[in-house]
Amino acid sequence: MIETTRNDELIRTVGLLPPGELAAFLAVAEHKGFRAASRVLGQTPSALSHAVAGLERRLKVKLFHRSTRNVSLTEPGRRLAERLMPALSEIGLAVEELHEQAASPSGLVRINCDANAADQVLMPLLTRFMKLNPAVRFEIKSEGRLVDIAEGGFDCGVRAAELVPGEMVAIPIGPDQQHIVVASPAYLDGGPTVESPSDLSMHQCIQLRMASGTIYRWEFQRRGEHVVVATTGNLVVDQSRLLLAAALDGCGLAYVTRWMAADALADGRLRQVLSEWTPPYPGLCLYYPRHRHLGTGVRAFLDFLRSQPSNSNS
């Protein structure tokens, strides 16, 4: 004989209680009176009073103190309401999710991301998804600083894998990333050679000021050795695109992503140095809060991202 579980017993117990009596009890408890509750449920105060009295008889406990002017919960009634309210909320969410799953994906999806990440990886994915799901709308906020997406009202964020907060769910998107050091041939020809990170001190390094106000330090790695360099130079900019433009104009060395410099490297307008010191690293992730309720649009977009084949770094 199969043993009855505690959940089976609870289901059986709740099943013996008429739903109308539980609904009446919760409505009166929440609205603190039979008249206010009757307006919400569309029943007469007398009908609600009879329903609550029936529940009290079944449970063999008094749930409300009643007087001509006031209705308040007894201590057992308060404890019962505190237990039932979260359960009722969960039931409501479960029903809402079922309705959403049955509906076509729709709604607004707000994403916070780095501007280069949006340009390189997010937008191509997003435009493909929108062609398949025209009822889903997107709003993209691109900025350099790392924000709390939940506090900022965003559904998702896109950042480098190493920057994603540990409590978030992360989905890798796009290829591995690679920061490289580049300069124009005109700048490099006739200048000091650049064979190791220590040689940077002899060069003009175009610097990037982060949203936090700090100057971005250049990171290098080779055969297990990790070096971080605080560079110097006569030019500081606040956007990666300006780093590239300055390097193309011969202003010095720039530390940029291979993706950003790819065209200029291909046609010879830029040359790479320190290639042995700049290996690829894990790329971008789209991330979202672990316990947040997801609308149909967000959920469909996440499923779409998970279904995409992994990209290889070029």
Side-chain angles (χ1 to χ4, degrees):
M1 182 175 177
I2 299 176
E3 218 176 279
T4 303
T5 66
R6 175 171 170 75
N7 282 344
D8 291 336
E9 291 290 352
L10 290 172
I11 292 170
R12 187 175 300 163
T13 300
V14 173
L16 295 175
L17 301 175
E21 293 180 358
L22 285 174
F25 165 69
L26 289 172
V28 175
E30 183 174 0
H31 296 282
K32 299 179 175 59
F34 288 94
R35 289 190 179 280
S38 69
R39 288 192 290 271
V40 173
L41 295 182
Q43 300 180 33
T44 65
S46 176
L48 291 185
S49 179
H50 283 298
V52 169
L55 183 61
E56 289 176 324
R57 285 194 301 272
R58 294 176 198 280
L59 297 177
K60 298 181 174 61
V61 66
K62 186 176 181 180
L63 299 174
F64 290 101
H65 297 297
R66 300 172 176 83
S67 70
T68 55
R69 293 187 176 184
N70 188 44
V71 174
S72 62
L73 286 165
T74 62
E75 182 59 22
R78 182 189 63 78
R79 290 199 302 270
L80 180 62
E82 287 178 350
R83 291 281 189 172
L84 289 179
M85 286 297 186
L88 184 66
S89 176
E90 286 297 317
I91 292 171
L93 284 174
V95 172
E96 182 181 336
E97 287 181 359
L98 284 175
H99 288 162
E100 288 181 349
Q101 288 170 4
S104 298
S106 62
L108 175 66
V109 181
R110 300 187 72 234
I111 302 177
N112 183 283
C113 66
D114 174 80
N116 292 329
D119 195 10
Q120 179 185 3
V121 176
L122 179 62
M123 291 306 296
L125 290 169
L126 188 149
T127 52
R128 289 206 302 272
F129 173 82
M130 292 183 71
K131 290 175 182 177
L132 300 173
N133 299 272
V136 181
R137 298 175 292 120
F138 286 87
E139 180 179 335
I140 309 301
K141 171 69 172 177
S142 57
E143 54 186 328
R145 66 190 184 97
L146 188 64
V147 302
D148 183 327
I149 58 172
E151 186 176 299
F154 297 98
D155 298 291
C156 312
V158 176
R159 286 294 186 277
E162 63 183 13
L163 297 178
V164 176
E167 70 275 12
M168 296 287 175
V169 178
I171 303 174
I173 57 174
D176 283 350
Q177 297 290 303
Q178 186 179 17
H179 268 78
I180 61 175
V181 181
V182 297
S184 68
Y187 175 83
L188 290 173
D189 290 343
T193 59
V194 189
E195 296 179 349
S196 75
S198 61
D199 295 331
L200 296 175
S201 61
M202 298 183 290
H203 285 270
Q204 288 289 326
C205 296
I206 308 161
Q207 297 176 289
L208 176 67
R209 188 175 298 281
M210 307 296 289
S212 63
T214 60
I215 297 294
Y216 191 80
R217 298 193 297 173
W218 298 10
E219 298 186 47
F220 301 96
Q221 187 174 341
R222 186 180 69 169
R223 294 193 289 273
E225 181 182 1
H226 185 250
V227 179
V228 179
V229 178
T231 57
T232 59
N234 293 337
L235 177 62
V236 179
V237 299
D238 66 351
Q239 294 183 30
S240 297
R241 290 286 181 186
L242 297 179
L243 290 175
L244 185 69
L248 287 166
D249 285 339
C251 294
L253 300 170
Y255 189 67
V256 297
T257 63
R258 175 174 290 280
W259 169 79
M260 183 177 292
D263 291 342
L265 289 170
D267 61 24
R269 287 177 295 151
L270 290 177
R271 290 211 307 255
Q272 181 182 355
V273 295
L274 299 177
S275 57
E276 293 184 356
W277 286 90
T278 53
Y281 55 88
L284 300 169
C285 287
L286 182 137
Y287 63 96
Y288 61 95
R290 188 175 302 277
H291 300 297
R292 175 181 287 184
H293 171 69
L294 303 176
T296 56
V298 177
R299 191 162 49 245
F301 186 52
L302 297 178
D303 290 342
F304 170 79
L305 294 179
R306 291 188 176 101
S307 71
Q308 298 304 297
S310 58
N311 299 303
S312 61
N313 198 20
S314 57

